[in-house]
Amino acid sequence: MKINKLTFSAFAIVASVVVLFASCTIKCEQKPEKPQQLVETRNPEGIDVDRLVRIDSAFQRNVDAGLLPQAVVMVVHKGEIAHYKAYGWRDIENQIPCERDDIFRMASQTKAIAVVAVMTLWEQGYFQLDEPIKKYIPAFANMKVLKEYDPATGTYTTEPANKDITIRHLFSHTSGISYSGVHARIFKEAGLPSTVTKDSLTLAWVVDSLASLPLAHHPGEGFTYSKNIEVLGRLAEILTGKPIDQFIKETVLDPLGMNETAFYQPEDRAHRLVKLYTYPFGKGETQPASHEQSPSEVLRARAGGGPLQPSTHPVFCDYPISGAKTYFSTGAGLSGPIMDYAKFCQMILNGGEFNGKRIIGRKTLEMMQRNQTRDMRGDVGFGLAWDVYRDEYLWRTPASKGTMRWGGMFGTDYIIDPEEELIVLMYTNFQTNGTGVNFKELAHNTAYQALK
């Protein structure tokens, strides 16, 4: 069979078209690459920027009313930073404005970072989730449960726990360890810090001492938020032979480029730590508003008064820039800027990788996002590190099913919504919030309403 030049050219054209079509098909079927860096954009995909500015008016209104000392709010959608602004004052008395890169006490936002670090050891086969913690920390053998407590004398009676505390119980805060109610007094009398401390304590001493105290309930029979993650931090020290601050830095912080997140801030960053404020008056009581009051006065009246005052707490006011700096609380000790935590959240949204580094496996994260507590936390579920929004909770929020959320006692908050590929972060530092305004929900609502 003879093939002339015309026929050959036709074959070549057809072949080229087939190759081009196949190449296009392969590319179209490939999943889009996960964002490896966070980039600011003026025209974020899927967000109405004209509606997004409502975040500005909502937060500035509360700053002007004297209800909020400062805030930084960040919204990340599909890897693009759609909103990143600061409001209020780093230091009200000296009129130093809050900046986007200011450093905040993250408190319990520490937990998710520590949990991810510890779960990398699970991935390597160092432990199993349903093993008893006493296998690795013998002090947790023969645990007792509180029966009766005498507030007049501080004495109490106990009964033996009906089962061992497992590592899963610690991750899910169902171990029975508690620092609330009468247990707060028991903690104090034992010399244990509820969160952070400026004393020269160690994680090893705190965890061993904790194991000598009674549980609030039998393991696995309730959700009791407490120092469970400190126990897991100590577990990581035992398994790796490394101090927990070094292990977390090497495992999570450094690979993600979270270069300014630390248990204790160095001197050259101390000036960027926002002042901690308190709202001692009001305590949620409301006062009737008058038509003669300004909008700011109305907000303050609703909150019961004011004004904001610098905290005088002997530890919290200048943690993490003073003290012995020997205790690394894996439940409450980290501080840092909001951008650092956004990188961590994007890593979670990416299925375990960011900055070109894989921190944890995709399937591991999927398991961590499943409810571990049945109905013990009410409508909202809890995974191995954070709240997990169940169907039963969705009537309360614009967020999607499977959204992860947690925050810190000083006002920081994050929400990670895989369905919308959305991250909302809000940082402030004041405690206790007696304003009657839920600033975390304010950030959530004003971000979600801007989605197209």
Side-chain angles (χ1 to χ4, degrees):
M1 176 180 176
K2 293 184 178 180
I3 301 176
N4 58 33
K5 291 183 179 180
L6 183 61
T7 304
F8 182 81
S9 298
F11 278 139
I13 292 171
V14 170
S16 298
V17 169
V18 170
V19 171
L20 182 63
F21 178 77
S23 175
C24 180
T25 301
I26 291 172
K27 288 182 179 179
C28 290
E29 290 177 351
Q30 288 177 341
K31 293 182 179 179
E33 292 186 3
K34 299 293 186 180
Q36 297 300 315
Q37 296 295 326
L38 297 178
V39 180
E40 290 189 65
T41 178
R42 292 184 178 181
N43 297 297
E45 179 186 350
I47 289 184
D48 187 330
V49 293
D50 292 331
R51 295 177 67 91
L52 198 61
V53 297
R54 293 174 179 178
I55 296 175
D56 297 334
S57 57
F59 277 86
Q60 191 61 53
R61 185 165 58 244
N62 283 279
V63 168
D64 293 343
L67 302 182
L68 188 64
Q70 79 289 108
V72 178
V73 179
M74 178 182 284
V75 178
V76 182
H77 188 236
K78 297 183 178 180
E80 295 182 327
I81 300 175
H83 184 94
Y84 181 19
K85 292 187 181 179
Y87 313 92
W89 310 93
R90 177 192 301 167
D91 183 328
I92 295 174
E93 291 69 34
N94 292 303
Q95 293 289 282
I96 302 174
C98 179
E99 303 288 346
R100 299 195 314 179
D101 66 347
D102 277 353
I103 291 169
F104 290 79
R105 302 158 187 83
M106 288 158 36
S108 288
Q109 282 195 203
T110 302
K111 289 179 171 66
I113 294 174
V115 163
V116 166
V118 176
M119 282 300 292
T120 66
L121 298 176
W122 174 83
E123 290 186 315
Q124 297 172 64
Y126 278 92
F127 64 86
Q128 300 298 316
L129 287 173
D130 294 311
E131 289 181 311
I133 189 62
K134 70 180 184 182
K135 177 179 177 179
Y136 303 96
I137 309 178
F140 283 94
N142 306 312
M143 294 300 293
K144 303 292 192 295
V145 177
L146 183 68
K147 283 187 66 178
E148 296 180 350
Y149 180 83
D150 184 351
T153 62
T155 58
Y156 53 84
T157 61
T158 63
E159 63 181 6
N162 61 16
K163 63 179 72 68
D164 289 324
I165 295 173
T166 67
I167 295 173
R168 188 187 300 273
H169 289 148
L170 296 167
F171 277 111
S172 60
H173 295 275
T174 58
S175 68
I177 295 171
S178 175
Y179 53 28
S180 302
V182 298
H183 292 272
R185 180 173 173 181
I186 295 172
F187 257 60
K188 185 175 181 180
E189 291 175 349
L192 290 175
S194 59
T195 53
V196 294
T197 181
K198 293 195 291 186
D199 296 335
S200 55
L201 304 181
T202 65
L203 186 60
W205 181 85
V206 166
V207 170
D208 281 348
S209 299
L210 178 64
S212 69
L213 303 181
L215 304 174
H217 54 75
H218 294 283
E221 296 184 6
F223 178 89
T224 305
Y225 187 69
S226 187
K227 294 180 78 67
N228 295 276
I229 310 306
E230 276 80 357
V231 182
L232 293 174
R234 178 58 184 152
L235 173 64
E237 288 189 331
I238 291 168
L239 294 176
T240 65
K242 296 179 180 180
I244 192 60
D245 61 321
Q246 178 185 341
F247 174 66
I248 289 176
K249 189 173 187 296
E250 293 175 354
T251 307
V252 178
L253 303 181
D254 284 351
L256 293 181
M258 299 174 67
N259 300 322
E260 295 188 320
T261 297
F263 285 98
Y264 296 97
Q265 292 294 336
E267 187 176 344
D268 62 351
R269 294 203 295 261
H271 69 284
R272 286 167 48 205
L273 178 69
V274 299
K275 185 179 285 189
L276 180 64
Y277 286 87
T278 186
Y279 200 84
F281 308 115
K283 299 181 180 178
E285 300 98 345
T286 59
Q287 300 173 4
S290 165
H291 69 277
E292 297 177 351
Q293 292 176 309
S294 68
S296 295
E297 289 171 332
V298 170
L299 284 172
R300 184 167 294 184
R302 289 176 183 170
L308 283 163
Q309 296 181 7
S311 173
T312 57
H313 192 281
V315 176
F316 299 155
C317 68
D318 54 3
Y319 182 89
I321 58 175
S322 67
K325 301 182 180 181
T326 60
Y327 178 57
F328 304 106
S329 170
T330 44
L334 288 174
S335 61
I338 202 168
M339 177 62 85
D340 272 10
Y341 212 88
K343 296 174 182 177
F344 176 79
C345 292
Q346 189 64 50
M347 179 272 292
I348 301 298
L349 204 56
N350 285 357
E353 62 175 329
F354 183 78
N355 197 30
K357 308 289 190 351
R358 176 157 291 282
I359 307 301
I360 194 166
R362 175 177 63 85
K363 295 300 292 184
T364 304
L365 276 178
E366 287 180 10
M367 178 182 67
M368 291 171 65
Q369 293 165 26
R370 295 172 187 144
N371 180 32
Q372 303 281 327
T373 59
R374 301 185 298 280
D375 295 326
M376 289 187 287
R377 192 162 153 69
D379 288 346
V380 65
F382 194 88
L384 293 179
W386 36 54
D387 278 344
V388 178
Y389 288 1
R390 303 192 294 165
D391 282 331
E392 296 87 343
Y393 186 76
L394 297 184
W395 65 275
R396 298 182 59 179
T397 174
S400 310
K401 180 181 179 180
T403 291
M404 294 155 276
R405 192 214 70 85
W406 204 251
M409 67 181 289
F410 303 119
T412 57
D413 181 80
Y414 66 89
I415 195 166
I416 307 170
D417 186 333
E419 183 176 315
E420 296 290 347
E421 298 182 64
L422 182 71
I423 298 164
V424 182
L425 285 151
M426 190 280 296
Y427 274 21
T428 187
N429 267 184
F430 81 121
Q431 195 259 347
T432 299
N433 182 357
T435 66
V437 180
N438 188 324
F439 295 106
K440 299 176 182 183
E441 288 189 0
L442 183 66
H444 303 168
N445 299 344
T446 50
Y448 272 92
Q449 62 84 34
L451 292 178
K452 292 181 178 178

